[in-house]
Amino acid sequence: MSPAGCPHVNGFKVDNWKQNLRVIYQCFVWSGSAETRKRKAKSCICHMCGAHLNRLHSCLSCVFFGCFTKKHIHEHAKNKRHNLAIDLLYGGIYCFVCQDYIYDKDMEQIAKEEQRKAWKLQGRFFPLFSQGQWEKYSTWEPTKRELELLRHNPKRRKITTNCTIGLRGLINLGNTCFMNCIVQALTHTPLLRDFFLSDRHKCEMQSNSCLVCEMSQLFQEFYSGHRSPHIPFRLLHLVWTHARHLAGYEQQDAHEFLIAALDVLHRHCKGDDNGKKANNPNNCNCIIDQIFTGGLQSDVTCQVCHGVSTTIDPFWDISLDLPGSSTPFWPLSPGGDGSTLNGESHLSGATTLTDCLRRFTRPEHLGSSAKIKCSGCHSYQESTKQLTMKKLPIVACFHLKRFEHSAKLRRKIPTYVSFPLELDMTPFMASSKESRMNGQYQQSVDVFNNDNKYSLFAVVNHQGTLESGHYTTFIRQHKDQWFKCDDAVITKASIKDVLDSEGYLLFYHKQFLEYE
């Protein structure tokens, strides 16, 4: 949304819009009196499914309540072209054209006034423990004196499109480019950055042995504004301590380092939330699992009784086979109709990331040598196995399997794989499985469905051979602004440089996040 705000609010501001908005806040959002609370409980249900929950929203153009989670309010907005709706729990106003919650000064003032009235009627204040007793207070707002101080001291650090805060090179400590490239990707992961810069980690270990504490210090170094390259010797020492298979000055695999780093970070910050259960397959609420953990669904179908056995396993990354490897690559021919998916054109004949994901999620016949005991037939039968995404992570990392190790050969696979700036994972979801036809997903265009859409924000590349190579990273600083990180040297890069690169690890971030 532009700094000017939502342009679609003016369509609502006609006639008695202020009074109408006050009534909505009084009756359906804040509900100060017992009578209005009863009315809200009885009347505020989804007009499509009858549910009370699922983030109920009310249309501002007509009397319609709909679930935000199940997209019922989205369907109403699309059919009636009613652009604005109000969240009945928090009072935020959502624009379906801008696809975001909006801020309007006049509406915000009405919301605050009605919220204060409701709190006064309820005698409800937020508690604050001070000097041994509970005090009552309302939400903080700057006083006139504080506003004057802000006006007289306008010089504050601003994040502009040309800002280089967060860009900092890393000294190579002897074949440690594999570590430097992953550190660059992690320090530019938005939610991870927000977590560490807001000092959320509560350490339960000795700080000199905690990798999370060191990462917190690393983020402080990166966003301090210093331009000289940082020397990550403490980080390297802690990695050697907690992941001994990576110790030594030999060149290591960046993908292996990423998984090892996430594993140690996960183990060291689990105590932050005392093992609280979370909505991810790892049932862990640590910041690593909140951001990186997804759920991979495996469906094994018996070829005799067609019974399906389903398991869901957590994952931090998806490893994808490439054409040119010794593993037979699924013969894909999506270019027959000249179509595009995820913005990737197949006219050039190049393999795309979507091709690799299609292959990863295709049904696979396990054969007679790998019979599985069927719970329906109670005997060993041939079966097919299919992998799909049950739950997507906030950050999806794709590992292109460029290094092949087998008894006969060890080599690097240089196959070029085209990958997009924006990726829609809907075709590869478990919920989309029934919509597949012969391994191809017939995609329908739905501009309101953004749940599974991702944006590229980091690419790790490997130059050279299996025996002698070097890792670099492209990172996105701002929208459409990319930089190449080559150890201590950081240079500006174009989008073409990024998309033309070979690609080894691809990091995508969800475009829209559910409020929890």
Side-chain angles (χ1 to χ4, degrees):
M1 191 182 299
S2 70
C6 172
H8 310 102
V9 172
N10 292 332
F12 172 73
K13 290 184 174 181
V14 293
D15 300 329
N16 298 321
W17 73 271
K18 288 186 178 180
Q19 184 57 35
N20 294 336
L21 188 61
R22 285 186 188 278
V23 171
I24 292 172
Y25 273 113
Q26 290 168 6
C27 296
F28 303 127
V29 183
W30 307 130
S31 304
S33 67
E35 184 185 340
T36 55
R37 287 197 295 275
K38 285 180 183 177
R39 187 188 303 141
K40 178 177 178 178
K42 287 181 180 179
S43 60
C44 291
I45 59 173
C46 178
H47 286 182
M48 288 193 180
C49 67
H52 285 81
L53 304 176
N54 298 321
R55 291 179 62 199
L56 205 63
H57 282 56
S58 172
C59 176
L60 286 184
S61 301
C62 66
V63 182
F64 180 89
F65 302 129
C67 299
F68 195 93
T69 306
K70 293 184 177 179
K71 305 288 185 186
H72 293 153
I73 190 69
H74 296 70
E75 292 175 31
H76 172 79
K78 185 178 179 182
N79 295 333
K80 299 291 185 179
R81 296 190 178 182
H82 293 170
N83 297 332
L84 302 178
I86 187 169
D87 184 335
L88 297 187
L89 184 59
Y90 299 104
I93 293 176
Y94 188 88
C95 176
F96 292 95
V97 181
C98 297
Q99 298 180 9
D100 200 357
Y101 287 94
I102 63 172
Y103 174 82
D104 179 82
K105 187 177 180 180
D106 298 330
M107 289 181 165
E108 186 73 12
Q109 185 61 34
I110 291 172
K112 285 179 180 178
E113 290 173 3
E114 295 305 323
Q115 187 179 42
R116 287 195 194 100
K117 289 179 187 176
W119 284 351
K120 195 172 181 181
L121 284 169
Q122 296 173 32
R124 185 184 120 200
F125 296 89
F126 289 103
L128 172 67
F129 194 75
S130 174
Q131 298 180 347
Q133 60 182 356
W134 291 98
E135 298 177 357
K136 292 181 178 180
Y137 71 98
S138 59
T139 52
W140 175 85
E141 289 186 13
T143 63
K144 287 184 178 180
R145 173 61 180 157
E146 288 167 336
L147 288 171
E148 285 175 11
L149 287 171
L150 289 171
R151 290 192 191 100
H152 284 94
N153 298 277
K155 191 174 181 180
R156 290 183 290 277
R157 176 169 283 176
K158 297 179 181 178
I159 305 298
T160 64
T161 53
N162 297 320
C163 180
T164 57
I165 294 175
L167 291 173
R168 196 167 182 187
L170 291 165
I171 296 293
N172 192 318
L173 300 174
N175 287 327
T176 58
C177 57
F178 69 92
M179 178 181 75
N180 291 348
C181 68
I182 298 301
V183 167
Q184 292 287 0
L186 293 179
T187 51
H188 288 87
T189 301
L191 287 183
L192 201 61
R193 174 196 63 206
D194 295 346
F195 175 84
F196 283 113
L197 293 183
S198 58
D199 198 23
R200 296 280 300 280
H201 173 55
K202 303 294 184 289
C203 189
E204 296 188 354
M205 301 174 58
Q206 292 183 352
S207 59
N208 59 359
S209 64
C210 177
L211 187 64
V212 190
C213 289
E214 179 56 31
M215 281 298 292
S216 182
Q217 183 61 38
L218 196 66
F219 273 87
Q220 299 293 335
E221 291 287 347
F222 263 72
Y223 290 90
S224 65
H226 296 308
R227 299 193 176 192
S228 58
H230 178 66
I231 307 173
F233 66 94
R234 281 180 49 79
L235 178 68
L236 183 64
H237 170 71
L238 284 172
V239 169
W240 285 359
T241 303
H242 297 292
R244 295 189 179 279
H245 62 289
L246 296 174
Y249 288 102
E250 297 83 11
Q251 178 69 277
Q252 303 287 350
D253 178 42
H255 173 247
E256 191 176 359
F257 177 82
L258 170 67
I259 299 304
L262 292 180
D263 179 57
V264 177
L265 287 168
H266 159 72
R267 285 189 277 119
H268 285 192
C269 68
K270 269 203 302 187
D272 281 358
D273 295 279
N274 300 316
K276 283 181 187 174
K277 288 206 168 184
N279 186 26
N280 66 59
N282 261 0
N283 285 326
C284 174
N285 206 36
C286 78
I287 188 63
I288 298 302
D289 282 303
Q290 286 184 49
I291 296 174
F292 293 96
T293 298
L296 191 64
Q297 179 169 315
S298 173
D299 295 317
V300 178
T301 306
C302 174
Q303 294 296 285
V304 176
C305 71
H306 302 291
V308 180
S309 173
T310 300
T311 56
I312 299 172
D313 297 306
F315 69 87
W316 279 331
D317 73 314
I318 297 292
S319 293
L320 301 171
D321 288 316
L322 301 180
S325 67
S326 57
T327 305
F329 200 80
W330 190 31
L332 298 163
S333 55
D337 58 355
S339 63
T340 62
L341 180 61
N342 280 320
E344 299 168 328
S345 174
H346 296 83
L347 298 177
S348 63
T351 302
T352 68
L353 178 62
T354 302
D355 291 339
C356 298
L357 285 166
R358 279 192 177 119
R359 183 191 187 281
F360 182 79
T361 56
R362 83 196 191 284
E364 178 186 4
H365 185 67
L366 297 180
S368 57
S369 61
K371 290 184 177 180
I372 294 175
K373 189 171 184 178
C374 175
S375 58
C377 302
H378 303 291
S379 60
Y380 287 90
Q381 304 290 352
E382 290 190 25
S383 56
T384 60
K385 178 180 178 181
Q386 184 172 13
L387 298 174
T388 49
M389 310 293 167
K390 178 64 177 177
K391 178 176 174 57
L392 290 172
I394 292 174
V395 169
C397 176
F398 300 104
H399 165 226
L400 304 182
K401 294 161 73 171
R402 295 201 173 276
F403 303 125
E404 191 168 42
H405 303 270
S406 65
K408 294 183 178 179
L409 69 149
R410 294 176 69 253
R411 63 182 181 130
K412 179 182 174 183
I413 301 167
T415 306
Y416 173 70
V417 176
S418 169
F419 49 89
L421 284 174
E422 296 188 346
L423 177 68
D424 187 357
M425 288 294 289
T426 304
F428 314 109
M429 296 295 293
S431 56
S432 302
K433 183 180 174 183
E434 293 182 1
S435 300
R436 294 173 186 274
M437 297 173 61
N438 300 321
Q440 302 291 321
Y441 178 76
Q442 305 301 310
Q443 190 177 26
S444 60
V445 177
D446 184 1
V447 294
F448 288 100
N449 184 13
N450 295 297
D451 291 351
N452 308 321
K453 290 182 179 177
Y454 286 79
S455 293
L456 185 71
F457 74 93
V459 179
V460 172
N461 283 293
H462 179 272
Q463 289 89 37
T465 63
L466 191 65
E467 292 76 20
S468 175
H470 180 62
Y471 288 103
T472 59
T473 311
F474 286 110
I475 58 98
R476 188 185 68 192
Q477 174 76 345
H478 300 290
K479 183 175 173 61
D480 297 334
Q481 191 176 89
W482 289 83
F483 289 87
K484 182 179 181 180
C485 303
D486 186 351
D487 286 333
V489 180
I490 296 182
T491 53
K492 198 167 177 56
S494 66
I495 293 176
K496 187 177 185 301
D497 294 333
V498 178
L499 298 182
D500 285 350
S501 66
E502 192 176 73
Y504 179 50
L505 298 174
L506 310 175
F507 292 84
Y508 285 86
H509 198 289
K510 261 193 174 183
Q511 292 181 1
F512 294 86
L513 300 180
E514 281 289 320
Y515 180 84
E516 294 182 357

